[in-house]
Amino acid sequence: MAVPKYDAMFNPLLEAIRKLGGSASITEQEDEVATLLKLSESDLAEVHRGNRTKFSYRLAWARTYLKRYGLLENSARGVWALTVEGHRATSVDKNKVKRFVVELDRKQKHDSIEPESVESEDDAQGWE
């Protein structure tokens, strides 16, 4: 089996963290997800870039999406935990998660654009 895309790892990742008691290190997550997905050693060794594997890279993206969706939190460096919502969720619809994150990115990008100043400092002093 080839390494699944990041969005196909949403539910296995949630299941893995749940099985590990609701909180797990990245290494623990990788081991459990690999077991759940029945990935071979050659699947796990496939390189993405440099010395990072495709599996590690894609699982990192899965964590990021689930964090932005509100199901995971980065409780300490290298440790991830289910949020209250994450404990409630038995599974997620990958398309719904992706749409939510894309919309969140769009909203944050829009909110970060600073409006042009309507009046200069000199104009503002004229109102006093």
Side-chain angles (χ1 to χ4, degrees):
M1 171 183 202
V3 175
K5 292 186 177 182
Y6 76 96
D7 58 355
M9 289 200 238
F10 293 161
N11 288 314
L13 178 56
L14 289 172
E15 182 182 346
I17 296 174
R18 193 171 286 106
K19 284 178 94 172
L20 293 165
S23 177
S25 70
I26 292 171
T27 303
E28 291 170 325
Q29 293 167 41
E30 288 177 349
D31 291 345
E32 189 63 32
V33 171
T35 300
L36 290 170
L37 295 175
K38 298 178 172 75
L39 296 173
S40 70
E41 288 299 319
S42 63
D43 292 333
L44 296 174
E46 195 175 344
V47 175
H48 168 68
R49 240 186 244 148
N51 63 353
R52 186 141 195 208
T53 65
K54 281 187 179 182
F55 178 70
S56 172
Y57 180 76
R58 291 177 181 174
L59 196 58
W61 274 110
R63 276 191 297 274
T64 299
Y65 270 70
L66 292 175
K67 178 181 180 180
R68 303 212 53 221
Y69 194 63
L71 302 181
L72 291 181
E73 61 187 354
N74 192 209
S75 56
R77 182 169 173 81
V79 178
W80 292 76
L82 295 170
T83 62
V84 172
E85 254 334 283
H87 280 286
R88 289 187 195 133
T90 54
S91 67
V92 294
D93 176 333
K94 68 182 182 180
N95 293 320
K96 187 176 178 183
V97 172
K98 291 190 309 185
R99 278 193 306 271
F100 177 87
V101 172
V102 166
E103 187 57 37
L104 185 63
D105 286 345
R106 192 174 296 140
K107 182 180 179 338
Q108 287 177 339
K109 184 176 180 182
H110 180 297
D111 290 349
S112 70
I113 298 171
E114 294 187 28
E116 291 183 31
S117 177
V118 176
E119 54 191 24
S120 69
E121 189 175 313
D122 292 334
D123 294 338
Q125 290 174 359
W127 287 99
E128 293 178 10

